[in-house]
Amino acid sequence: MRTPRLRVLALGGVPVGMAKANFGDDACGKSTLLRSMSRLLAPRAGRVVLDGKEVHRTPAKELARTLGLLPQWPVTPEGITVLNRTRGTTIVMVLHDLNLAARYADRLIAPAAGGLHAAGNTEEVMTGDTVRSVYGMESRVIEDPVSGRPLVLPVGRHHTTPTTPTATVAGDNEARP
């Protein structure tokens, strides 16, 4: 059994009505962070604070009025309603799809190796450098033409730079453009 290890991670708060997404490579601490926030996992050191109160010292009924947790299941359970930011609902989520994180989150957290690689506004965090550091993957980050938010385009390991096509004329040993 693995021991979750999430070093000091200061989220800097999540403003009311904002959405914050955690994204990162496998086993970097995304789900550990959410489990700690929801009291499913007690921190060995430090504390988890929600609205100025330590969640592990807050009575369960009081915490349930301010915190909801939707597990990462492939099918949404029956009875789930859409959270509405206009009502001041604050959302903290784990997403594995970088483009969904960039499109729907106001702020991003990129945990890496149990610590924090980057945190901040979506446009500041979702960069080619962040994707390379967190996932070890080359990419280009452009503006999404629909949403205006960052859009990650993976380059891939087998990416080749296009070259000018050449043609060989029968009986000629030289290639010509």
Side-chain angles (χ1 to χ4, degrees), residues 11 32 57 59 91 95 112 117 119 134 150 172-173 175:
L11 300 182
T32 299
R57 295 177 188 236
I91 304 165
L95 292 172
H117 174 76
V134 172
D172 189 358
N173 291 334

Side-chain angles (χ1 to χ4, degrees), residues 51-91:
D51 293 336
K53 298 178 184 177
E54 288 190 43
V55 297
H56 289 84
R57 295 177 188 236
T58 304
K61 284 185 179 182
E62 183 181 335
L63 185 64
R65 284 191 285 273
T66 59
L67 178 73
L69 178 67
L70 178 63
Q72 298 179 57
W73 293 332
V75 177
T76 304
E78 207 171 306
I80 295 295
T81 58
V82 176
L83 296 173
N84 186 345
R85 282 198 230 179
T86 61
R87 290 181 28 209
T89 302
T90 301
I91 304 165

